Amino acid sequence: MREDDYLFISRLVKEKSGLALAGDKQYLVESRLLPLAREAGIDDLGAFVTQLRRPDAASLRNSVVEAMTTNESFFFRDKVPFEHFTNVMMPYFINARASKRHLRIWCAASSTGQEPYSLAMCLQEMGSKIAGWRIEILGTDISSQALERAKAARYTQFEVQRGLPLHMLAKYFIQKSEGAGEVWEVVPSIRSMVTYQKFNLLDRFSALGVFDIVFCRNVLIYFDPPTKADVLDRISRVLSPDGFMMLGAAETVVGLTEAFQPMAGRRGLYCPTINKVPIAAS
């Protein structure tokens, strides 16, 4: 791929998704663009980029942006965030929201659905502790393809073996035949706890409403510092004053925003700076 073509793709992806492609990612760009080029009946990447530059190629450019986003996900990824959810966040809210019994949770960049379904399973495991509660889980992603998979809630044997405890597989999944193989489908009681919506983290958050918990994991690492800071500041505006934000293990707010403070001894867990760390969660 010519350098000017690579720069065009890099600018396109950055403008549309916030994803900052490093200069050494040309191999990744080529590997993800080739299938799209062939679908369009074009064998040469240079000719494909020429097509992308046309004013009437908006739909094709959107397909390129989706192809460049990373949709890596698996159930209970990294374990610690779900321990924080079960042992820190929910015990706090069960007490603090005892009169309202209503919570809103946002999984930003939810990919193919493993994270929101993992949270739904955690909630189901709490049983009578949250009986009568209305808990909304919203999963958003920029990729239509990833969201369709999330809504279908069907996973391969390989996918359910990555992080999912066996007792939860038996309890919350149904094994079904699909084509030449077997798939595992999330049970309706878990699926009904999650709604999905296409959403770009560069867009305004206000239309989504206010949340008590935001999981924004393993997406900021792909943004440049100004974009990271902007996303974090806007998350702070849609998070309740005593809410929680969960970042990925390799992500931090340090040097990016003063809107959040880390919770001591709780890796990746943050609360708004305007609010003291909840006593019940310390």
Side-chain angles (χ1 to χ4, degrees):
M1 176 179 284
R2 298 194 319 242
E3 183 177 353
D4 62 329
D5 287 343
Y6 179 75
L7 290 175
F8 171 79
I9 295 296
S10 298
R11 287 195 296 267
L12 171 66
V13 173
K14 174 69 165 59
E15 177 188 346
K16 297 293 185 181
S17 72
L19 175 64
L21 294 174
D24 61 351
K25 296 295 183 182
Q26 186 164 330
Y27 73 95
L28 176 66
V29 171
E30 292 177 353
S31 67
R32 295 193 178 182
L33 290 189
L34 276 172
L36 290 178
R38 288 166 182 157
E39 284 180 17
I42 303 172
D43 291 326
D44 178 70
L45 281 181
F48 181 65
V49 175
T50 298
Q51 179 78 6
L52 288 174
R53 293 176 187 268
R54 292 177 49 174
D56 60 350
S59 178
L60 194 57
R61 287 194 290 271
N62 288 338
S63 297
V64 167
V65 173
E66 285 205 21
M68 294 309 303
T69 57
T70 301
N71 291 317
E72 171 75 0
S73 184
F74 51 91
F75 292 102
F76 296 96
R77 183 176 183 179
D78 301 329
K79 292 185 179 179
V80 170
F82 302 95
E83 293 173 356
H84 290 343
F85 178 71
T86 300
N87 301 326
V88 180
M89 298 181 232
M90 285 307 299
Y92 168 74
F93 283 124
I94 287 172
N95 178 60
R97 299 286 194 276
S99 59
K100 292 174 58 178
R101 296 192 173 193
H102 178 213
L103 284 179
R104 297 193 74 226
I105 302 168
W106 177 22
C107 291
S110 60
S111 187
T112 45
Q114 287 94 325
E115 179 178 87
Y117 288 136
S118 295
L119 292 174
M121 284 184 271
C122 288
L123 290 170
Q124 282 285 85
E125 291 292 294
M126 294 176 193
S128 61
K129 293 179 181 179
I130 57 170
W133 281 66
R134 182 163 63 94
I135 302 178
E136 305 171 46
I137 303 175
L138 174 66
T140 67
D141 203 273
I142 193 174
S143 170
S144 298
Q145 186 176 16
L147 288 172
E148 287 305 310
R149 284 214 59 215
K151 292 174 185 177
R154 289 190 165 201
Y155 300 94
T156 65
Q157 184 70 37
F158 174 73
E159 288 170 324
V160 297
Q161 286 176 333
R162 300 183 72 193
L164 184 65
L166 283 175
H167 75 278
M168 287 193 171
L169 176 62
K171 190 173 182 179
Y172 297 119
F173 289 76
I174 302 169
Q175 191 172 21
K176 294 189 173 184
S177 297
E178 185 176 88
E182 299 289 321
V183 297
W184 293 86
E185 185 175 285
V186 180
V187 297
S189 61
I190 295 295
R191 292 176 66 177
S192 66
M193 296 174 68
V194 184
T195 57
Y196 291 99
Q197 178 180 333
K198 184 170 183 176
F199 187 76
N200 190 329
L201 289 177
L202 298 186
D203 293 340
R204 295 180 62 182
F205 293 176
S206 56
L208 298 177
V210 176
F211 298 92
D212 302 291
I213 297 171
V214 174
F215 271 58
C216 186
R217 303 170 59 226
N218 307 308
V219 61
L220 294 182
I221 54 175
Y222 299 107
F223 295 164
D224 61 18
T227 307
K228 291 179 185 179
D230 176 56
V231 170
L232 288 168
D233 284 336
R234 287 187 291 122
I235 287 176
S236 72
R237 298 186 203 123
V238 296
L239 186 66
S240 58
D242 62 343
F244 297 91
M245 178 181 69
M246 192 75 228
L247 297 183
E251 296 166 329
T252 181
V253 303
V254 176
L256 296 171
T257 179
E258 296 182 355
F260 292 97
Q261 59 179 334
M263 291 192 65
R266 306 289 185 181
R267 179 168 56 88
L269 186 59
Y270 297 83
C271 60
T273 303
I274 60 172
N275 183 58
K276 294 182 179 179
V277 176
I279 296 175
S282 61

